[in-house]
Amino acid sequence: MYCVKCGVELEDGVKKCPLCETPVPQLDDLEKISYESEYPKININFYELRMKKIKKTIFLSFFSISIIPILEVFFQNMIMYHKMKWAYYTIPSILIFDLFLFILLDSYRMRTNLFISFFGLSSYFLILDYGNKVLTWSLKLGIPIVVAFTVIGLIFSFVWDKHKSDKLKILNFFIFFVGIFLLVLEFIISRKMTWSIFSSIPLFILNILLRYSYKSYREEFKRRLHL
């Protein structure tokens, strides 16, 4: 080791330079010093950025194309009837298609997509139902079904966040929630449960079988199905 100031060779263990009395830095102190690079390291996922750009381009392309039929049916109705007739139903249908395409292509979380779907479908049903100037089926059937789907979807989203690495468990919960939704759906439509019970019971049985067989043969499932 040499003195950092005058360069004289030092003996091991000395704390000061015998020539200029400059303190000798200890190796233990040097190990504690952390050095930062001149430029911070930034991890950029170029594949994800590229996919977002592609999805955005696809959506904008479809949305731009959909403007043509919207304008066409609008002006057709204005020229032929001087008011909105069947275009009143066609235009919202095209827009709801664009909305679901946006949901399908975006990178939002499941809960955000559920809320977007809820407001989009609720508005769509209200617009369609108000075509005869009276709200009937949208308030009794359409929106309650959308609410039920959104609530069940929100519960499933929390299950997804907790078990998303376990695909078989996610499938198991998905089958269970489909059975629940069928029961709620028939109750909203007819205020009773008949066909939904016969539809849901096999799903619940399958759910139970998958649950217990997965517990017993978890490693085998993962090895066979590459999960």
Side-chain angles (χ1 to χ4, degrees):
M1 181 182 289
Y2 298 89
C3 177
V4 296
K5 185 175 182 181
C6 64
V8 70
E9 187 174 0
L10 305 173
E11 296 181 359
D12 294 337
V14 297
K15 296 184 178 179
K16 289 186 178 181
C17 174
L19 183 62
C20 64
E21 296 187 349
T22 301
V24 177
Q26 300 299 313
L27 293 177
D28 293 339
D29 295 334
L30 291 174
E31 290 177 356
K32 295 178 182 178
I33 299 175
S34 60
Y35 298 94
E36 295 184 0
S37 59
E38 184 177 357
Y39 301 102
K41 293 182 179 179
I42 301 175
N43 295 323
I44 301 176
N45 191 336
F46 289 102
Y47 175 78
E48 185 177 345
L49 292 175
R50 181 168 167 268
M51 289 305 299
K52 283 184 178 181
K53 186 177 180 180
I54 292 173
K55 289 178 180 180
K56 183 179 180 181
T57 303
I58 293 173
F59 171 74
L60 290 176
S61 300
F62 272 91
F63 182 74
S64 302
I65 293 171
S66 68
I67 293 176
I68 298 173
I70 288 174
L71 293 175
E72 181 184 354
V73 296
F74 174 77
F75 286 113
Q76 246 184 355
N77 276 237
M78 291 295 107
I79 293 170
M80 294 173 64
Y81 310 109
H82 303 290
K83 63 178 181 179
M84 294 273 286
K85 292 198 75 173
W86 52 268
Y88 185 85
Y89 305 99
T90 306
I91 293 175
S93 300
I94 296 173
L95 291 175
I96 199 69
F97 169 80
D98 288 336
L99 176 65
F100 279 105
L101 181 64
F102 172 76
I103 293 173
L104 182 66
L105 294 174
D106 75 354
S107 57
Y108 290 122
R109 293 181 58 131
M110 187 185 298
R111 286 189 282 276
T112 305
N113 289 332
L114 282 169
F115 281 115
I116 294 174
S117 302
F118 170 74
F119 289 111
L121 282 174
S122 299
S123 302
Y124 176 64
F125 289 151
L126 286 171
I127 291 171
L128 292 186
D129 194 19
Y130 195 67
N132 57 359
K133 306 302 179 184
V134 180
L135 293 177
T136 54
W137 60 266
S138 62
L139 297 178
K140 293 180 180 179
L141 295 175
I143 293 180
I145 291 173
V146 175
V147 170
F149 175 80
T150 304
V151 171
I152 294 174
L154 283 173
I155 298 173
F156 178 73
S157 70
F158 288 103
V159 175
W160 175 278
D161 289 343
K162 187 176 181 181
H163 304 287
K164 58 185 175 182
S165 60
D166 196 332
K167 296 178 182 178
L168 278 176
K169 189 171 285 188
I170 288 294
L171 175 62
N172 200 23
F173 277 108
F174 178 77
I175 293 172
F176 174 77
F177 284 119
V178 169
I180 295 295
F181 178 71
L182 291 176
L183 293 172
V184 175
L185 178 65
E186 188 186 8
F187 182 78
I188 293 173
I189 294 173
S190 58
R191 296 296 185 270
K192 60 181 180 180
M193 295 180 184
T194 53
W195 61 263
S196 61
I197 294 177
F198 296 104
S199 302
S200 299
I201 287 177
L203 293 176
F204 293 148
I205 294 174
L206 178 61
N207 176 265
I208 294 171
L209 290 174
L210 278 175
R211 180 178 179 182
Y212 285 100
S213 61
Y214 181 57
K215 280 185 177 181
S216 303
Y217 304 100
R218 182 172 184 175
E219 296 303 322
E220 187 70 15
F221 270 115
K222 288 185 175 182
R223 187 173 66 84
R224 295 281 183 180
L225 301 177
H226 305 286
L227 297 174

